[in-house]
Amino acid sequence: MAVGAEKLVGTLRKPREETGLWSWLTTVDHKRIGILYLATGFAFFLMGAVEALLIRLQLARPGGGVLSAQTYNQVLTMHGTTMIFLAAMPLIAGFFNYMMPILIGARDVAFPRMNALSYWLFLAGGIILNSSWFLGGAPAAGWFNYANLSGPQFSPGRGIDFYLLGLQVSGIGTLVSAINFIVTILNLRAPGMRLMDMPPFAWATLFTSAIILFALPPFTAGMILLMFDRWFGTGFFVPSAGGDVVLWQHLFWIFGHPEVYILALPAYGIISEVIPTFSRKPFFGYTSMVIALTAISGLSFLVWVHHMFTVGLGPWVNTLFAITTKAISVPTGILMFNWIATMWGGDLRFTTALHYAVGFLVVFTIGGLSGIVNATSALNPQLQDTYWVVGHFHYVAIGGVLFSLLAGLCYWWPKITGRLLDERLGRRSFWLVFIGFNLIFFPFHILGVLGMPRRIYTYAPELGLSVWNAVATAGAFVMGTGILLLAYNLVTSLVRGQPAGADPWDGRTLEWSIPSPPPVYNFARLPLVRGRDAFWLEKRSGGGTMQPAPEEEHGHAGGGHGKGGHGHAIHMPSPSYMPAVVALGLTVASYGGIFRSLLVALIGLAILAFGIFGWIFEDDSGYLLELEEDVA
């Protein structure tokens, strides 16, 4: 089989297209993969937003009839699952892919083909999950998919199978990405850049990847066990068969709460890049920031039981996890102090990006304060499963992430596209998003205190919930208008935006030392980093530009990936069909499992095997890119 695959792979024409569809299907360039993540994640974000609007229309008034109860459960489940796994995480991955290698002075990630595979697996998982709408019905057990509601007895359709296979396929891609980013940061930093010289966003990438590496496997194990319950009649989560439904909650939340920090740490990293640049000051308390990120990463694995205070684990267990949960507010508070102290006394430049960064500080603080209330185990039963929890969750996991991502988008958009956004439109979109967000989610706290349960699809008029639900629904349309205005700003900037130049913000870090948008090789010569805020250092006390590392000036031609760039020839990785082929094989095999079709599963496995052998045997020696002129 291996010989046959080798011959077949040898007959395939090597992908050489630099433009057009095939160039995107076969790309291994981290910047193009970053753009694919950002574009796909934004598309899924819009899908999740439409689902959110449907939910708000249903709840806008008592006895709403926009959705039936079953459809409401499906829309609610898909909204949460899409926003967490298919929008927030991929948008973060987009920034990791595009910006992190440039921020540390690398030409690409350590494993370019694995990087492409990560994207295609994420896309495959998203397609599998969302195709459920057209192939028998979407999952309807909530984004946490609690057993035994998700078991065959209470969810006999195929919706849960789409959930299990879609998230497992995309989860493989997420794990591959995490390994890739860790290896890249530890091995491909620019000459002279120590770990303690890295920009905050690189630290956030490193810690986030480490959390993913340890948090995702328990959730994957839980999904495999649930798949066995559904497909083969085992009883891991069936009490009558000796199983335990609480086991699912442990496996899910051991992943689920670190997941909050998988979303939050990149937000911290982005904010830590935006605020110093527009305050025109170095980051205040850099060392304490690294220590705080380390503490948060460790504590994130010691707090999951606060999601389970009401399942009967006992007062000692609840007290212990209440303490660890409140303890995590200490390093988070240190970060908040760092950001405010960085702005304090700074020469503030209130761009759209800084507006979103300050907006993040406000909404994240509100979310953090309501979280301290939730973490009180004696009070938690009064709030459990009410809209208070929904409000807290959206302020922390959605508001914090959304505002930071939009800050990052407005900050790095000129670098990615070479065009400036319209700042006037940007500020207007910010105020619409900020006002709309708070109109939606702050009333949720009031509704929770009034006793409105989460996940209900309607309510009676005499409960007194109508006014605040109507306010929240109006806020959804205000926020939606702000997002559309931002999208308009992004699109029109590509057509008539002012040229950004290489360094429109007087930036601190290495990405601002190269052209906008960056060339395919990032750096003609790898830069020599002489300290923290490397580009600022050269502009303030050096020659104004990054100097090449000594080995780059006197090296020989050729060299391995990431160490090239000798003279005018740079070694680049070759494009490849195989990452997309491997993802296609897993996708087809997954549909075989969902529909219990052995033939379809075998076809998928055959495509998968071909992709793996092709990966092994294809020519991956890369190529030398000759530079036409002596660019720095």
Side-chain angles (χ1 to χ4, degrees):
M1 185 176 180
V3 175
E6 185 175 2
K7 288 182 178 178
L8 184 54
V9 170
T11 63
L12 288 175
R13 183 175 65 87
K14 284 184 69 63
R16 299 186 185 282
E17 291 80 2
E18 296 181 356
T19 59
L21 178 62
W22 282 108
S23 70
W24 287 92
L25 293 175
T26 60
T27 187
V28 295
D29 179 357
H30 73 95
K31 297 181 291 299
R32 282 192 156 203
I33 293 170
I35 291 172
L36 288 171
Y37 266 114
L38 290 171
T40 313
F42 187 69
F44 280 121
F45 171 79
L46 292 179
M47 293 172 62
V50 170
E51 289 160 352
L53 286 175
L54 290 173
I55 293 169
R56 288 315 318 160
L57 285 172
Q58 169 65 22
L59 296 175
R61 60 186 179 84
V66 177
L67 302 172
S68 67
Q70 180 59 19
T71 304
Y72 179 87
N73 287 340
Q74 292 177 327
V75 170
L76 186 72
T77 299
M78 289 298 289
H79 164 69
T81 309
T82 297
M83 284 299 198
I84 296 291
F85 295 103
L86 303 181
M89 290 181 71
L91 287 170
I92 289 167
F95 284 119
F96 282 175
N97 266 282
Y98 199 105
M99 300 312 308
M100 183 274 291
I102 304 177
L103 280 163
I104 64 170
R107 291 208 172 93
D108 207 323
V109 294
F111 308 113
R113 286 189 299 174
M114 283 176 62
N115 200 28
L117 175 65
S118 300
Y119 168 75
W120 292 114
L121 288 176
F122 144 65
L123 179 63
I127 291 172
I128 292 170
L129 185 59
N130 278 279
S131 65
S132 61
W133 285 114
F134 312 102
L135 297 173
W143 78 277
F144 30 70
N145 204 44
Y146 274 172
N148 54 358
L149 179 60
S150 55
Q153 181 181 359
F154 299 105
S155 297
R158 301 192 192 282
I160 300 298
D161 297 327
F162 281 101
Y163 175 99
L164 295 174
L165 269 299
L167 293 191
Q168 285 183 75
V169 169
S170 65
I172 296 171
T174 305
L175 280 173
V176 170
S177 274
I179 295 168
N180 208 351
F181 291 144
I182 291 172
V183 175
T184 300
I185 291 171
L186 295 182
N187 291 279
L188 296 184
R189 297 191 308 280
M193 180 180 281
R194 304 168 302 163
L195 283 173
M196 291 302 287
D197 291 331
M198 290 199 309
F201 189 66
W203 275 112
T205 309
L206 181 63
F207 283 118
T208 303
S209 301
I211 294 175
I212 288 172
L213 207 55
F214 293 101
L216 202 52
F219 181 38
T220 305
M223 288 193 287
I224 292 172
L225 295 181
L226 181 58
M227 202 164 66
F228 271 64
D229 276 7
R230 294 181 58 84
W231 292 12
F232 307 118
T234 56
F236 293 106
F237 305 113
V238 182
S240 60
D244 186 357
V245 293
V246 177
L247 173 62
W248 172 268
Q249 293 196 38
H250 282 296
L251 291 172
F252 180 84
W253 288 116
I254 287 174
F255 155 78
H257 202 82
E259 166 69 11
V260 172
Y261 295 98
I262 290 170
L263 302 178
L265 290 192
Y268 301 165
I270 291 172
I271 298 303
S272 300
E273 298 294 340
V274 171
I275 286 180
T277 297
F278 294 117
S279 300
R280 295 169 183 168
K281 282 177 60 184
F283 187 85
F284 181 89
Y286 177 93
T287 302
S288 65
M289 178 271 296
V290 176
I291 294 172
L293 292 179
T294 307
I296 291 170
S297 302
L299 285 169
S300 70
F301 288 94
L302 302 175
V303 297
W304 82 90
V305 167
H306 73 229
H307 294 277
M308 303 165 61
F309 279 157
T310 58
V311 302
L313 297 178
W316 283 106
V317 173
N318 287 356
T319 302
L320 174 64
F321 279 88
I323 293 171
T324 56
T325 301
K326 293 187 177 182
I328 209 167
S329 64
V330 175
T332 307
I334 291 173
L335 289 175
M336 192 65 70
F337 179 78
N338 291 144
W339 295 320
I340 294 172
T342 301
M343 288 192 292
W344 188 267
D347 183 10
L348 296 178
R349 184 179 175 187
F350 272 98
T351 60
T352 305
L354 187 60
H355 274 71
Y356 279 110
V358 174
F360 163 86
L361 300 185
V362 174
V363 299
F364 199 76
T365 299
I366 295 173
L369 292 174
S370 62
I372 292 175
V373 176
N374 295 345
T376 306
S377 57
L379 178 60
N380 184 275
Q382 304 301 316
L383 302 171
Q384 181 81 8
D385 279 338
T386 71
Y387 255 72
W388 172 282
V389 178
V390 183
H392 159 72
F393 178 78
H394 280 82
Y395 264 91
V396 173
I398 305 303
V401 173
L402 177 67
F403 280 85
S404 64
L405 287 177
L406 294 181
L409 183 64
C410 296
Y411 179 58
W412 281 313
W413 183 262
K415 177 54 59 182
I416 295 171
T417 67
R419 298 285 178 174
L420 291 171
L421 290 171
D422 183 324
E423 284 291 322
R424 183 175 54 89
L425 283 181
R427 287 191 288 272
R428 288 181 179 178
S429 68
F430 162 77
W431 284 112
L432 286 170
V433 171
F434 183 79
I435 293 170
F437 177 87
N438 286 285
L439 280 177
I440 302 170
F441 299 113
F442 195 80
F444 283 10
H445 297 89
I446 301 170
L447 289 167
V449 172
L450 292 175
M452 180 171 174
R454 60 194 299 193
R455 308 183 202 110
I456 60 168
Y457 87 105
T458 189
Y459 51 91
E462 59 271 20
L463 292 178
L465 306 174
S466 307
V467 173
W468 292 114
N469 271 298
V471 170
T473 301
F477 284 93
V478 174
M479 184 176 171
T481 305
I483 295 293
L484 290 177
L485 186 59
L486 175 64
Y488 172 80
N489 196 3
L490 296 176
V491 172
T492 55
S493 76
L494 297 175
V495 179
R496 56 172 184 259
Q498 295 295 317
D503 186 19
W505 309 131
D506 187 20
R508 308 153 23 250
T509 38
L510 292 178
E511 75 271 31
W512 306 109
S513 69
I514 59 176
S516 305
V520 65
Y521 45 81
N522 293 347
F523 299 92
R525 293 184 174 85
L526 294 182
L528 175 65
V529 173
R530 300 195 298 174
R532 202 175 294 159
D533 292 332
F535 191 35
W536 247 6
L537 188 63
E538 297 298 334
K539 288 192 287 187
R540 300 302 192 261
S541 57
T545 59
M546 295 303 301
Q547 297 302 306
E551 56 267 35
E552 291 290 300
E553 290 186 300
H554 306 296
H556 55 79
H561 168 66
K563 298 292 185 185
H566 309 287
H568 299 291
I570 298 176
H571 180 251
M572 302 296 296
S574 300
S576 174
Y577 298 107
M578 296 309 155
V581 173
V582 169
L584 175 64
L586 269 179
T587 305
V588 175
S590 297
Y591 279 111
I594 291 169
F595 290 99
R596 315 292 196 271
S597 170
L598 181 61
L599 177 62
V600 174
L602 289 175
I603 292 172
L605 292 175
I607 298 172
L608 175 63
F610 170 74
I612 293 173
F613 280 114
W615 189 304
I616 295 170
F617 293 115
E618 74 175 344
D619 179 12
D620 186 37
S621 57
Y623 64 95
L624 286 177
L625 179 66
E626 299 285 343
L627 297 187
E628 295 180 356
E629 57 184 24
D630 186 18
V631 292

